[in-house]
Amino acid sequence: MKFARLAPVVALAFSLPTVVAVAEDAPPAAAAEAVVAETAPAAPAEAVAEAAAAAPAEDTLGPVGHDSQGRPGRIHVVQRGDTLWDISDAYLGTPWVWPSIWKDNSVEVENPHQIYPNERIWISPHEMRKVSDAEAAEMLARSAPEPEAQLEESMPAAMADPDGPEPVRNRGTFLYTEIQTTGFVTLEELEGAATIIGGPKSRSMFTDHTPVEIGLGEGEVAVGDELDVFRPGDLVVDPGTRRTMGRVTKQLGWLEVVAVHEQSASAIVRLSRSEMMLGDHVMPRRMRSAEIPIAERSDVEGQIAFTPDKRMQMGEGDVVYLNRGSRQGLVLGSPVEVYETRGEAWDRVRKEDRKLADRVLGKAIVVEAYDDTAVAVVTHSTVELNRGLKFRGSDSIRP
């Protein structure tokens, strides 16, 4: 099923994934039920039926609802042929985000990602999960919280001392659904990483559920350990010192160790974002959220060290690598601005040089902070940003 891209409704510009409507290994009864479900209308609760009647056409996004915390989302009714990848792309703008927000609420199902026609999926930037007809009806009927209530919820609890300082308002969050695909590794980490050393003889590339062998053995890894699979890319070099800080990585997915041997281990690919192959590297998995809390302004100053894809210039929505990291004071969510100095200009009346204000060229937010490097997403730019430009802390990620 193909989804039409729509303008955001109630500030919802997200799209979530759903899994294959009828899995190949589904029991015959389930498959038959799914076929019947496709041709015969479902019998949802009355409120859901009314919402469905008023919902957009089949090739549009589902109706808007609100969860128990008042956060907006959409209810998607599964159609035959739907996949988690397609739904994620349609509702969240990328096919890659669903693994980090999918919630399994049916423990007796062997494959929690199987979905069938007419099932209802709740989709929001915070989570995606199956919901019952009754819960869907409740979500669709629930009104958005009043602006005052939203403001109150965004403020931390006041201090016990009534004369204490005013509570600080929440600075909000930045949703970066591509977080699972970005990466960086130091040269030391790369040297200590292991690789995929074996797999099914009939395959040269490995995807979900494929058994593989990795070069970590007893004392190095344990059953149940989760490992990121990545492919090292270009070097990241500090434009000021010319010091090599590490390499950009292409994050391919992750695997789980199922057996440990003397000098190797057996694992299963749990998620493949791109085809894996022999020689791809593995290291302990880093859990990362697509919701980036916007941090306070920092006093860190530095330069853009690298722009991916061998591009010299980057713009809004692109990723840049900075030559400063957590050791210098950058943290997850740090807002930064890229700027240029403009020197002085001659005042003809006063007969003297006057210093010109710096020109801000763009804004960005740190989505990954390493020891001496940070990955930032450009949120606003007035010109193309290029390697070597200066950056500093900012009060916001927008102009």
Side-chain angles (χ1 to χ4, degrees):
M1 174 180 176
K2 300 299 182 183
F3 295 89
R5 286 295 181 85
L6 302 181
V9 177
V10 193
L12 299 179
F14 54 84
S15 59
L16 287 175
T18 29
V19 183
V20 180
V22 180
E24 292 181 359
D25 59 349
E33 181 180 344
V35 173
V36 173
E38 183 188 26
T39 56
E46 182 177 350
V48 175
E50 293 176 358
E58 179 179 293
D59 61 346
T60 64
L61 303 185
V64 175
H66 295 83
D67 65 14
S68 59
Q69 299 181 48
R71 298 177 299 189
R74 289 180 182 271
I75 301 291
H76 175 72
V77 179
V78 178
Q79 303 296 314
R80 190 175 186 85
D82 282 357
T83 69
L84 285 173
W85 300 93
D86 291 341
I87 295 177
S88 180
D89 190 36
Y91 284 81
L92 292 178
T94 172
W96 304 111
V97 73
W98 70 264
S100 64
I101 61 175
W102 176 263
K103 301 294 188 298
D104 178 17
N105 53 4
S106 180
V107 294
E108 53 290 337
V109 177
E110 290 185 5
N111 181 358
H113 305 310
Q114 288 181 355
I115 57 174
Y116 297 90
N118 292 318
E119 286 185 325
R120 286 167 171 76
I121 307 293
W122 167 251
I123 303 169
S124 79
H126 313 281
E127 66 174 356
M128 184 181 88
R129 61 185 175 87
K130 297 177 185 178
V131 294
S132 65
D133 291 346
E135 188 175 6
E138 183 178 346
M139 288 175 160
L140 294 174
R142 186 179 290 123
S143 300
E146 295 296 325
E148 293 79 5
Q150 290 178 315
L151 178 61
E152 188 67 26
E153 290 176 2
S154 71
M155 307 213 11
M159 299 177 64
D161 182 1
D163 297 323
E166 289 291 325
V168 179
R169 296 182 187 276
N170 188 314
R171 291 172 58 84
T173 58
F174 174 77
L175 182 65
Y176 181 53
T177 56
E178 301 290 334
I179 186 66
Q180 303 297 337
T181 64
T182 63
F184 172 83
V185 62
T186 66
L187 297 183
E188 294 76 16
E189 289 174 327
L190 184 59
E191 185 177 350
T195 62
I196 296 177
I197 61 175
K201 293 183 179 180
S202 60
R203 299 189 189 182
S204 59
M205 295 185 176
F206 317 126
T207 56
D208 289 4
H209 313 303
T210 303
V212 296
E213 303 295 321
I214 60 175
L216 294 171
E218 293 178 353
E220 299 175 300
V221 72
V223 172
D225 283 356
E226 297 177 353
L227 305 173
D228 279 331
V229 182
F230 68 94
R231 194 170 296 155
D234 295 323
L235 290 170
V236 178
V237 179
D238 189 314
T241 65
R242 305 303 302 169
R243 179 177 66 89
T244 298
M245 297 184 290
R247 287 185 179 274
V248 173
T249 61
K250 180 179 182 180
Q251 300 300 116
L252 306 176
W254 63 277
L255 50 80
E256 179 182 357
V257 176
V258 296
V260 179
H261 317 295
E262 184 178 356
Q263 295 187 354
S264 64
S266 301
I268 298 293
V269 176
R270 296 303 186 194
L271 173 67
S272 171
R273 299 185 185 90
S274 184
E275 291 84 357
M276 304 172 186
M277 60 183 64
L278 294 178
D280 282 334
H281 293 64
V282 297
M283 63 186 302
R285 187 181 177 199
R286 285 193 291 257
M287 301 300 292
R288 298 175 289 181
S289 171
E291 290 187 81
I292 312 297
I294 301 176
E296 296 292 333
R297 178 177 185 146
S298 72
D299 295 326
V300 182
E301 297 188 7
Q303 293 175 279
I304 294 177
F306 181 78
T307 57
D309 302 325
K310 298 182 179 180
R311 293 169 56 186
M312 288 300 295
Q313 298 181 327
M314 309 297 282
E316 291 183 29
D318 287 321
V319 169
V320 295
Y321 287 70
L322 310 177
N323 69 342
R324 297 291 185 268
S326 57
R327 278 202 284 234
Q328 292 77 39
L330 287 179
V331 299
L332 181 68
S334 287
V336 298
E337 61 185 26
V338 181
Y339 70 99
E340 64 177 2
T341 55
R342 296 193 292 165
E344 298 178 334
W346 179 254
D347 187 321
R348 296 182 180 181
V349 175
R350 296 189 177 187
K351 307 297 183 184
E352 62 181 6
D353 286 325
R354 306 291 289 182
K355 182 179 180 180
L356 297 174
D358 296 338
R359 177 182 287 121
V360 176
L361 306 176
K363 298 288 187 82
I365 182 172
V366 172
V367 296
E368 285 264 52
Y370 302 89
D371 286 347
D372 299 300
T373 314
V375 183
V377 173
V378 179
T379 58
H380 170 75
S381 64
T382 57
V383 298
E384 291 289 337
L385 307 181
N386 54 67
R387 182 178 181 274
L389 283 176
K390 297 178 181 179
F391 77 86
R392 62 192 175 198
S394 174
D395 289 319
S396 69
I397 61 175
R398 295 295 178 190

